[in-house]
Amino acid sequence: MTGKYAVPLRRLYIRLLLAVSIPLILVSTTLLPMLHVHMETRIDSLHAEAKAVLKVGQEALTRDINESLNYALAIAEMPALRRYLDAQHASLLTEPHYSLSELAQLSNFLDTLISHYPRYTKLVLIDNQGYEVLRAPQSAETGPRVAANQHAKTDYFIEASKLLPRDLYISPPGHNLQYELFGDDVIPVVNVSTPIFSATGERQGVVLLSLNWNYLTTALYQSMRLDQRADAVLVDAQGRWLLNSATTLTLGAVNFGGSFASLAPRYWQAMQQRNEGNATVDNHLLRFQTEDIRTQSYRSLAGNIFSEHSHYPWKLGVVLPQPSWRTLLDEETIVLWFLLLTYAVAVAFGIFWAISGQRQRQLRQAAQRHAIEVSDLYENAPCGYHSLDKNGRVVKMNRTELNWLGYSADEVIDRIDYRELITPETRHQFDQAFENVLQHQKGSAECSLRTRSGGQRHVMIQASAYHRNERFVHSRATVFDLTERKQLEEKLRAQAMTDPLTGVFNRRYLQSQATIEMARARRHNQPIALITIDIDHFKHINDDYGHDAGDEVLKNFTRVVAELLRQEDLLCRVGGEEFAILLPNTTLTQATQVAERIRQTVALNAVNITEASLEKTLWLTASLGVTALLNNEKSLKAALKRADIGLYQAKEGGRNRVIVNSSL
C-alpha cells in the first residue's frame, strides 16, 4: 500500500507546493510596483495639503493683522478724540471747549468699544508730553514700565511721536514680553501705536492699542488645524516662538516667546536657509514661507508700518508627518485587505488546479468575498465614477470622486445637477459630451470641477449610456484626475534634461537652450560666450581611489563652479569629467575673466575622500577653453569645437590654465 500511494502523494505535494509558491511570486511582483506608486502619490498629496494649509494660515494672518491695524487707524482719526486732545490745551475740562458730559460719553463709548472687541485689551490716549489723558477700559492696568501714567520713555510713544499721519508702530511680539490680566487670564499683548493729528496737520498726541496676541494667534492656529496632524509654526527672525500654543504634536512643550531655535534646531536651520520652501525633518514635512507685517500686503489702509528690524521677517510654517509603509497600511485598511484577498484568491486558484473539484465550495466563498471587494474597489478606485439621469442629476457617485469634491453622498446624490459642479469655462465641453451620451454615443470631455472649498480639479470624463429595453436609464462615466499625470510629465521632462549625479543640466539641455540664447543674442545684438572645462588627471582619481571617490570629486567640483556663476549662466555636464558653461550677454574678455576665476578657485579647494577608513585630501586643477559665439552661427556645434580646441591646447601646454580660441 505504501508503494501504491507513495508516488501520487509525492506528486500531489509537489503540485501543492507549486500551486502556493508560483501565485505568491507572480502576485507580489505585480502588486509591489503599484504600492510604490501609491506611496509616491501619498507624498505628493501631502505636499499639496501642506501648501493649502499654509495658504489658509497666511490668509488668516494677513486678514487679522490688517483688521487690527485698520481698527487702530480708525480710532486715531475719530473727531471726538481730536477734540478731546485740543481741549487738553485749556486749563480745565469744564471750560466750554469740552464739557464733562462729552468726556463721560467719550469714555463710555470707548469702554463699550474695547469690551465688545476682544482683539484689543485696552486703549490709551497720550498727549505730546507723554502723559496719559484717557484710558479704556478704566480698569485696565498699564504695566511695570509705565510710572504715574507717564509714557514718555516707552518705545511705542517715542517711535509713534516720529511718525507721519496714518503710519503705525508695532512692538515686536516675543521681545520685552508684556502680559496683561484679561478677564481671569494673563495674556501676552503687543502694543500698536499711531500719531494723532488735527485737521490742520498739528501733532496732538499718540493713541496706544494693546493687541490681544492670544486672540489673534489662536485664530491663526485654528485655521491651520484643518488636518489634526498638522502643527502650525510662527517664529520671528531671532527664532522666538510667536504662537500662544503651549504644546505641539511634533515639537512638544513650547510657550510664547520661547526659543524655537533651541527647542527645534533642525527645523530652525531649515527655515533659515531659504525664504520659503519644503524640508524633511525627523520624518516630518515642513513647509514654510516668509512673512513681514511691514510690507505692502499688510499695510491695508496704513501708510507705513514700523517696528524693530532685527525681529523681522517672521517665518510661518506647517509641519505634517511623512507617510510610511506602516501608516499607509494602517490608514488604508481597504488596500491591505485587497492585498490579502489577492494573495488568497491566487493561492486558492493554485490549490484548485492541484486538487481539482475538492475545493469547489471554498472557491465559491472566495468568489463571494471577491464580489464584496469589487464593490469596495468601485468606491475607492483611483479614478472617479458617477451616473446621471437624463436630466443630468447625479444618481450615483463613488467615494473617490466625492472626496475630490469635498461632499458627502447625501449632499450630492439625487440633489445636484452634475453640470453645477463644472466650471463655467469648461461647461460647454461637458454639455456636448452629455448630449452625445443621450444620443446613444460615447462622450468624453476635459473639464475642471469646482470643489466645495472653492478649488479646482482638472479631470477627463469618459461616459456611455446604460439602456434597458432600448430605453435610456442612466449614464456611466469614469473620471480621471489629470493633475498627477501632468506633474509626472513635468518630472520626466526635468529628468531628461538633468545629469543625475551632479544635478546640473546635461548636453541635450545645453544644445536646446543654446539655440534660444543665440537667437535672443542676435535679436538684441548682445555678446554670448562659451567655456569648456576638463578636470585634470581625473582618470587617475578613478583608478587610484575608485569611482565613488570620482563621483564625490565631480559633485564637489560642480558645487564650487556653480557658486561662481550668475543666475542666468548655464552650467552643464557634457561628458565624464567635461563641463560647459554658456554665458549670455558676456564678452570674450569677460568670459576669460570668469574662466580664470574658476581655475584659481578650483585649485584652492581641496576634496576630502575616504579610502579604506582613511581620510585623504585631493587637490584638483582644471583646464579651460574659452570662445565667443558668432552672430551668423545657428547652433552650438562650431563654438563647442573652438572651445574644445582651446581646451586641448591647455592640456598640451601643461594643464591648469585657460586658453582663448577666437579663430574661426
Side-chain angles (χ1 to χ4, degrees), residues 417-454:
D417 290 344
Y418 195 82
R419 189 174 186 271
E420 298 176 6
L421 302 173
I422 307 294
T423 60
E425 297 79 11
T426 60
R427 197 168 288 167
H428 174 71
Q429 293 91 314
F430 170 78
D431 292 341
Q432 185 174 359
F434 189 64
E435 183 64 28
N436 291 339
V437 174
L438 294 177
Q439 298 298 326
H440 310 289
Q441 301 175 8
K442 292 185 177 181
S444 62
E446 191 169 328
C447 306
S448 294
L449 299 179
R450 294 188 298 187
T451 65
R452 186 172 192 167
S453 62

Side-chain angles (χ1 to χ4, degrees), residues 535-547 549-550 577 609 618 655:
I535 301 176
D536 296 333
H537 302 297
F538 184 76
K539 184 177 183 302
H540 294 317
I541 296 175
N542 279 334
D543 294 342
D544 295 343
Y545 304 104
H547 289 281
E577 69 274 21
I609 63 172
L618 299 181
R655 296 183 173 84

Side-chain angles (χ1 to χ4, degrees), residues 314-331:
W314 298 345
K315 297 288 186 178
L316 175 65
V318 61
V319 180
L320 287 167
Q322 289 272 35
S324 63
W325 288 111
R326 181 171 181 177
T327 58
L328 178 65
L329 294 178
D330 288 342
E331 295 173 4

Side-chain angles (χ1 to χ4, degrees), residues 118-416:
R119 189 182 303 272
Y120 287 103
T121 62
K122 70 174 184 295
L123 179 150
V124 178
L125 189 63
I126 308 169
D127 64 13
N128 286 332
Q129 286 72 42
Y131 287 98
E132 179 179 317
V133 297
L134 188 63
R135 169 183 294 269
Q138 298 178 1
S139 61
E141 297 183 3
T142 300
R145 294 196 302 163
V146 178
N149 295 331
Q150 170 57 254
H151 300 258
K153 296 183 180 181
T154 60
D155 58 336
Y156 52 80
F157 176 78
I158 295 173
E159 296 299 329
S161 299
K162 306 174 185 177
L163 302 183
L164 298 175
R166 303 190 71 81
D167 287 351
L168 289 161
Y169 172 77
I170 302 177
S171 61
H175 177 58
N176 292 334
L177 299 182
Q178 298 184 36
Y179 294 87
E180 290 186 358
L181 182 63
F182 188 70
D184 296 330
D185 299 323
V186 177
I187 62 170
V189 297
V190 173
N191 291 319
V192 179
S193 58
T194 184
I196 301 178
F197 288 83
S198 66
T200 60
E202 181 181 357
R203 189 180 297 272
Q204 296 179 296
V206 172
V207 62
L208 165 69
L209 283 163
S210 293
L211 175 62
N212 184 342
W213 193 249
N214 186 19
Y215 175 86
L216 187 144
T217 57
T218 299
L220 169 65
Y221 188 77
Q222 291 176 348
S223 69
M224 296 183 68
R225 289 301 300 273
L226 300 176
D227 188 331
Q228 295 302 316
R229 304 169 303 162
D231 270 334
V233 176
L234 182 64
V235 295
D236 66 10
Q238 297 185 3
R240 290 191 177 93
W241 184 259
L242 298 184
L243 293 175
N244 201 43
S245 174
T247 60
T248 69
L249 298 175
T250 304
L251 306 176
V254 56
N255 294 311
F256 175 76
S259 177
F260 174 78
S262 300
L263 179 66
R266 298 184 63 185
Y267 287 88
W268 176 241
Q269 182 180 6
M271 298 173 73
Q272 280 188 308
Q273 293 176 353
R274 293 174 291 172
N275 288 331
E276 61 178 349
N278 298 319
T280 301
V281 182
D282 298 332
N283 295 324
H284 285 74
L285 172 65
L286 167 66
R287 184 175 181 88
F288 61 92
Q289 66 184 41
T290 298
E291 295 293 330
D292 195 335
I293 65 173
R294 302 169 301 175
T295 61
Q296 185 64 39
S297 59
Y298 286 92
R299 293 181 186 174
S300 189
L301 300 178
N304 291 291
I305 300 174
F306 297 89
S307 189
E308 295 187 25
H309 179 73
S310 61
H311 296 270
Y312 295 93
W314 298 345
K315 297 288 186 178
L316 175 65
V318 61
V319 180
L320 287 167
Q322 289 272 35
S324 63
W325 288 111
R326 181 171 181 177
T327 58
L328 178 65
L329 294 178
D330 288 342
E331 295 173 4
E332 302 288 347
T333 55
I334 295 178
V335 175
L336 178 60
W337 281 107
F338 176 74
L339 292 176
L340 295 176
L341 177 67
T342 304
Y343 282 119
V345 171
V347 173
F349 179 79
I351 295 175
F352 171 79
W353 169 77
I355 62 176
S356 186
Q358 297 181 10
R359 297 292 183 179
Q360 290 298 323
R361 183 179 178 181
Q362 290 79 356
L363 287 177
R364 285 195 296 270
Q365 294 176 349
Q368 293 174 356
R369 294 195 301 270
H370 183 69
I372 296 174
E373 292 300 328
V374 168
S375 177
D376 287 339
L377 179 61
Y378 169 82
E379 292 293 337
N380 300 280
C383 57
Y385 294 108
H386 67 255
S387 297
L388 311 178
D389 63 15
K390 64 180 180 179
N391 296 319
R393 186 171 293 271
V394 179
V395 296
K396 192 174 183 181
M397 181 176 289
N398 74 339
R399 192 176 305 161
T400 299
E401 190 168 2
L402 288 170
N403 291 338
W404 288 351
L405 296 171
Y407 292 98
S408 65
D410 294 337
E411 294 174 317
V412 174
I413 296 176
D414 294 328
R415 291 181 178 272
I416 293 181

Side-chain angles (χ1 to χ4, degrees), residues 599-616:
R599 184 194 67 79
Q600 295 177 2
T601 305
V602 168
L604 293 175
N605 280 269
V607 180
N608 296 319
I609 63 172
T610 302
E611 180 190 17
S613 301
L614 296 176
E615 291 285 341
K616 291 187 177 295

